[in-house]
Amino acid sequence: MIKYIIKRILWVIPVMIGVIVIVYTISYNLPGSPMTTRARVGDVGLDAPYIVQLGNYIWRIITRLDLGRSYASGFRVAEELATRLPVTFKLSLLGILLMLSIGLPCGMVSALKQYSALDITLTSISLILAAIPSFVLALLCAILFCVVLRWLPVRGLNEWRAWILPVFCSSVGSLAVYLRMTRTTMLEVIRQDYITTARAKGLKENVVVRKHALKNCLIPLTTIAGLSVANIFAGSIIVETLFSINGMGVYIMSGVLARDYPAINGAVIAMSLLICVVNLVVDVAYAFIDPRIRVQLVSGSKKEKTRKNKAIQF
Amino acid sequence: MSLLDIKGLTIHYVTRDNTVKAVNGINLSIGESSTLGLVGETGAGKTTTALGILRLVPDPPGKIISGEIFFEGKDMLKAGDNDLRKIRGNEISMIFQDPMTALNPIIRVGDQIAEVIELHQNCTKAEAMVKSLKMLETVGIQPERSVEYPHQFSGGMKQRVVIAMALACNPKLLIADEPTTALDVTIQAQVLEMMNDLKKEFKTSMLLITHDLGIVAETCDEVAIMYAGEIVEYGLLEHIFRNAKHPYTIGLFGSIPSLDKDVDRLSPIQGLMPDPADLPSGCKFHERCNHVCDDCKTTLPDYTEIEPGHFVRCPRAVKGEI
């Protein structure tokens, strides 16, 4: 198991190098890219050929975690990111927690009480919420809660109440999707034969749901949760901009507007790394939840033994 | 008094568009340590009957419309949830048709068996586990394999696990819903033989649901032939196998190749089962029956005893015209 985790962590390295190559190549080839101007600007070496620039870029990242300097401000991109990444990370993490803590139980209740008034209410609300783009929702919420009702601050993250709207708005779309996915998965699992077996054992319904159904639901739901993380992360760009939160989103936005290539590249790479890590966590979680995957990972000698046992039986 | 008595059980699946009449007023009874075979085509309502006994018919859409199910004198249909849970898995347990899907894929098989023991036998987890290992041994699986997961077992072994689980609490009644359908023939024989032995060992009564008359001949004391949610013929094994009266039963036997008769063609039953959402009037079988008369099309025939313990739902058979 530990071997598997280490192997999986090592896999992040080639993936990230791939990401860096792609990101750098795209920005190099963009029309009007400064990297093709062959200008000699300070120490950035934009006059060097593509392959040399790319090599230097990767080398500096690996050896010094250096993502270059912003053209606009002159600050080091890596340092800028280091102060902003935690903000976005916290925002997304809260968004994911919100998604899981509401989407999962509501989806389950919805499935267990299929076609009840509660189910219809939950699924219709989630449909509406999934359909509204997050920037529209964020603006509407800001008008209602910050301007009309004056319950919440409209910008910044200075007090805990300020977190409410950004977290809600960045996760609500994923939450709605997650609720519906949970419902669908649960409906499928609850009709399985092994659930009938569990009921026929005389188990209480809540034990059947918790011990037998939920665990099986978690297998697909973990994958979807991993995908939603990427979604919430990307969605934070818009939400941060609307609520003037000084995170990755604002940094990317201002970088794009200012054609600040090192800033954009650095931010995209940082986000990719985060998503890579999330995927890593999902993969490892998968192995913990699903024994069918876990068993594939144990050493071959035990497998051999199992096969022999089978041969003896029949 | 028999162990299980079913009287006039009717189960329908009610959806917005139509009502599927799966089980229509059946009567059954199973005595202590005897085996009743419930035979019928796919869609005849056999599994629904079995689920109905344990009150496990999925609701919605399934509804038990009417009838009584007495288990040791208690009416299962009036029992509360708590009472039901004490009966399920403990006094009545069930073996499901498909061993591939009947076990939870992410729980170790030993734990799945121990779960039911712990639930019903007032013992600690460790004691339940010991008993669980013993059950695995009883069905011929090495106890050390209890830590493995269902996908590491072959189909026949999974069915053994299911059987071990069903017998773990020494139930008085075992409902086996086509226990061998998903298995190949050699494994079928092994599983059947094992079930027979265990049945004797634990003095368990059994309701064996199948569409395989060969299995019935080997294991059952009594047989009920089910067609379109009704029992058309019911009797001891000899009654059904030596003296079948209902045209449907005769048709079933006519569909099986015989070892000692040389015929060019089998004589199968013409046509298909009627749609249970749109059952014909009168005798449900009249559209496929070679002996149909006008009466059959309009009136549902009575369930008549033609010799002690042998019931037939066919007026012409009762009159001896078949």
Side-chain angles (χ1 to χ4, degrees):
Chain A
M1 194 68 192
I2 290 166
K3 229 176 168 181
Y4 167 74
I5 295 172
I6 292 171
K7 207 166 98 188
R8 202 55 199 72
I9 290 172
L10 289 179
W11 257 106
V12 171
I13 296 167
V15 171
M16 279 317 295
I17 289 177
V19 168
I20 294 170
V21 169
I22 292 169
V23 168
Y24 199 84
T25 309
I26 290 174
S27 64
Y28 184 91
N29 287 308
L30 278 177
S33 165
M35 297 154 193
T36 48
T37 54
R38 306 228 169 258
R40 192 171 262 287
V41 191
D43 61 344
V44 266
L46 294 181
D47 53 341
Y50 159 73
I51 198 77
V52 176
Q53 286 192 39
L54 177 64
N56 279 337
Y57 190 67
I58 296 176
W59 183 247
R60 281 198 303 253
I61 292 176
I62 293 174
T63 51
R64 288 180 273 152
L65 279 178
D66 181 7
L67 291 159
R69 282 178 187 276
S70 158
Y71 295 161
S73 63
F75 291 127
R76 289 201 169 277
V77 173
E79 284 166 16
E80 291 269 299
L81 290 177
T83 60
R84 290 158 192 269
L85 202 58
V87 178
T88 306
F89 186 70
K90 228 192 266 177
L91 196 68
S92 308
L93 194 71
L94 286 171
I96 293 153
L97 288 179
L98 185 77
M99 174 189 92
L100 292 177
S101 61
I102 295 182
L104 193 67
C106 286
M108 280 176 60
V109 168
S110 200
L112 296 174
K113 308 256 177 248
Q114 198 189 6
Y115 302 135
S116 67
L118 183 67
D119 173 37
I120 292 166
T121 318
L122 282 173
T123 44
S124 347
I125 291 176
S126 66
L127 189 67
I128 294 168
L129 289 178
I132 302 178
S134 65
F135 62 90
V136 174
L137 188 76
L139 285 174
L140 289 176
C141 285
I143 292 171
L144 180 64
F145 294 109
C146 309
V147 181
V148 179
L149 295 169
R150 292 186 176 276
W151 287 351
L152 302 169
V154 75
R155 51 177 308 179
L157 283 176
N158 302 321
E159 45 178 332
W160 68 266
R161 287 191 305 155
W163 287 87
I164 296 174
L165 278 186
V167 168
F168 175 74
C169 293
S170 64
S171 78
V172 78
S174 305
L175 191 159
V177 173
Y178 201 66
L179 189 155
R180 294 189 73 95
M181 292 306 285
T182 307
R183 178 177 181 270
T184 316
T185 314
M186 192 71 186
L187 281 177
E188 201 173 296
V189 168
I190 210 81
R191 297 256 180 263
Q192 294 290 322
D193 286 352
Y194 55 79
I195 298 297
T196 316
T197 309
R199 289 199 180 118
K201 279 180 182 174
L203 292 170
K204 285 191 182 138
E205 190 62 24
N206 66 25
V207 179
V208 174
V209 170
R210 246 184 322 112
K211 197 170 161 193
H212 290 267
L214 180 60
K215 266 191 179 169
N216 278 287
C217 279
L218 285 180
I219 298 168
L221 288 181
T222 310
T223 319
I224 298 164
L227 295 173
S228 306
V229 170
N231 247 334
I232 290 177
F233 220 75
S236 70
I237 295 178
I238 293 158
V239 172
E240 281 178 11
T241 313
L242 286 174
F243 289 100
S244 311
I245 294 164
N246 212 0
M248 294 284 289
V250 170
Y251 193 65
I252 287 191
M253 277 304 276
S254 59
V256 168
L257 293 176
R259 304 178 69 104
D260 191 351
Y261 282 78
I264 302 170
N265 288 355
V268 170
I269 289 167
M271 283 198 153
S272 315
L273 179 66
L274 219 92
I275 287 168
C276 256
V277 171
V278 169
N279 276 328
L280 171 78
V281 171
V282 167
D283 272 4
V284 173
Y286 226 81
F288 270 104
I289 299 169
D290 193 344
R292 281 164 292 191
I293 293 175
R294 190 162 60 230
V295 165
Q296 284 172 8
L297 308 172
V298 299
S299 56
S301 61
K302 202 179 162 200
K303 250 187 203 163
E304 200 53 42
K305 212 175 105 198
T306 314
R307 212 172 294 137
K308 262 185 207 152
N309 283 345
K310 251 181 208 161
I312 293 165
Q313 276 306 311
F314 289 121
Chain B
M1 188 186 67
S2 44
L3 185 69
L4 182 83
D5 248 317
I6 301 178
K7 286 187 183 132
L9 181 66
T10 305
I11 303 174
H12 292 174
Y13 292 103
V14 185
T15 60
R16 213 177 300 169
D17 305 326
N18 56 20
T19 301
V20 175
K21 296 176 177 164
V23 177
N24 303 306
I26 64 160
N27 302 311
L28 283 178
S29 75
I30 301 173
E32 305 253 348
S33 50
S34 75
T35 300
L36 172 72
L38 190 57
V39 183
E41 291 172 65
T42 305
K46 307 181 301 278
T47 302
T48 305
T49 308
L51 290 174
I53 295 171
L54 281 171
R55 295 259 310 271
L56 283 173
V57 182
D59 177 16
K63 295 257 185 305
I64 298 179
I65 304 289
S66 63
E68 289 165 316
I69 300 171
F70 289 104
F71 178 72
E72 295 189 304
K74 286 172 293 206
D75 191 344
M76 294 283 287
L77 297 183
K78 294 199 179 92
D81 278 353
N82 271 325
D83 295 335
L84 267 179
R85 278 201 296 273
K86 274 177 204 145
I87 294 172
R88 286 179 192 158
N90 189 24
E91 298 187 47
I92 306 179
S93 59
M94 190 158 171
I95 298 171
F96 292 93
Q97 187 167 353
D98 187 357
M100 305 299 165
T101 58
L103 292 169
N104 193 325
I106 58 169
I107 301 181
R108 297 171 197 277
V109 293
D111 292 335
Q112 294 197 43
I113 301 173
E115 187 181 32
V116 67
I117 300 169
E118 197 189 335
L119 187 68
H120 294 295
Q121 299 203 334
N122 257 335
C123 61
T124 62
K125 256 201 169 86
E127 286 165 357
M129 203 61 214
V130 171
K131 179 96 197 284
S132 153
L133 297 183
K134 213 184 274 166
M135 282 314 297
L136 277 178
E137 220 171 354
T138 314
V139 295
I141 295 176
Q142 290 139 309
E144 23 326 343
R145 298 201 60 187
S146 70
V147 294
E148 290 182 14
Y149 292 92
H151 70 277
Q152 290 163 293
F153 290 81
S154 67
M157 294 189 84
K158 274 188 223 177
Q159 193 63 303
R160 283 160 186 255
V161 173
V162 173
I163 291 169
M165 203 153 77
L167 291 174
C169 292
N170 298 351
K172 291 178 182 139
L173 175 66
L174 180 65
I175 300 171
D177 183 6
E178 308 200 21
T180 54
T181 307
L183 308 175
D184 61 63
V185 188
T186 44
I187 310 296
Q188 264 187 28
Q190 288 179 15
V191 167
L192 278 175
E193 195 179 326
M194 191 186 74
M195 279 173 54
N196 263 336
D197 292 347
L198 293 174
K199 211 184 71 190
K200 270 176 216 143
E201 193 184 326
F202 292 109
K203 295 201 172 47
T204 307
S205 303
M206 183 156 82
L207 174 63
L208 179 71
I209 296 173
T210 181
H211 48 238
D212 187 336
L213 287 165
I215 293 175
V216 172
E218 248 173 78
T219 46
C220 296
D221 306 312
E222 289 175 293
V223 187
I225 309 284
M226 200 161 177
Y227 183 79
E230 285 171 2
I231 288 177
V232 292
E233 187 160 9
Y234 179 82
L236 296 174
L237 193 64
E238 308 89 85
H239 293 153
I240 305 295
F241 277 74
R242 302 259 177 262
N243 194 19
K245 285 292 178 205
H246 196 283
Y248 179 62
T249 317
I250 295 167
L252 283 182
F253 282 105
S255 314
I256 309 172
S258 165
L259 277 180
D260 44 16
K261 274 183 216 136
D262 187 20
V263 286
D264 288 336
R265 286 186 157 274
L266 294 172
S267 48
I269 306 169
Q270 300 299 321
L272 287 171
M273 273 263 292
D275 177 4
D278 183 25
L279 289 174
S281 59
C283 173
K284 306 287 183 284
F285 187 63
H286 79 250
E287 286 168 349
R288 301 168 72 185
C289 185
N290 296 330
H291 308 275
V292 62
C293 63
D294 288 342
D295 245 12
C296 302
K297 292 176 185 165
T298 50
T299 38
L300 181 66
D302 285 334
Y303 197 50
T304 318
E305 192 164 11
I306 52 167
E307 58 186 308
H310 186 183
F311 295 85
V312 178
R313 199 189 270 280
C314 176
R316 299 200 63 189
V318 171
K319 286 179 214 152
E321 292 169 18
I322 295 170

